[in-house]
Amino acid sequence: MKVILLQDVKSLGKKGEIVNVSDGYARNFVLPKKLGVEANTSNMNDLKLQKANADKVAQEQLEAARELAALLETKEVVLKMKSGEGGRAFGSVSSKEIAAAAKTQCGLELDKKKIQLPEAIKALGIYEVNVRLHTKVTGRLKVKVVEE
């Protein structure tokens, strides 16, 4: 019997796949536990529509990430820190501080986990910070650290 999986099943496959299982396994395990449905024409059409919708949503998210990356290129975030001799800051700038400053200064909602700092920012100056917006899109934000 052919079955369309509704969830990932360890021994069978991933969600949305069409797998061939024995009738008893389908009747006694897969169907009662709502892990899959029978692969008839109606369910196959539903699966096609769901995949098309998922592809459309993924494409829209990719386009939105590209637009946000282009917007980030034009923005600059200014952070003020106390510093000692030679422009060395007391402490360091964290991704949380950068995300908060981007929200207040530019109105951009950035997740602090998506901001990638190659090393801690411990000195005054201008830095380019990568922001991972999508698996395929990375934007660059200019961070300017000035003395308070």
Side-chain angles (χ1 to χ4, degrees), residues 85-104:
E85 294 179 21
R88 296 281 299 164
F90 295 126
S92 64
V93 176
S94 67
S95 58
K96 182 178 179 181
E97 292 170 333
I98 294 171
K103 184 176 181 179
T104 58

Side-chain angles (χ1 to χ4, degrees), residues 22-91:
S22 68
D23 291 347
Y25 186 65
R27 233 180 300 117
N28 295 323
F29 183 74
V30 176
L31 299 177
K33 292 195 176 198
K34 307 276 191 249
L35 299 175
V37 292
E38 188 177 348
N40 56 26
T41 55
S42 172
N43 291 337
M44 295 288 274
N45 288 336
D46 289 346
L47 178 66
K48 276 185 192 174
L49 290 174
Q50 287 174 356
K51 283 188 177 182
N53 188 31
D55 290 344
K56 182 181 174 187
V57 168
Q59 187 64 33
E60 288 173 357
Q61 288 175 344
L62 180 63
E63 292 300 320
R66 285 186 178 144
E67 289 174 15
L68 185 56
L71 180 65
L72 280 178
E73 296 286 335
T74 64
K75 300 290 183 180
E76 181 179 78
V77 175
V78 179
L79 292 169
K80 294 181 180 178
M81 292 190 70
K82 290 184 179 180
S83 63
E85 294 179 21
R88 296 281 299 164
F90 295 126

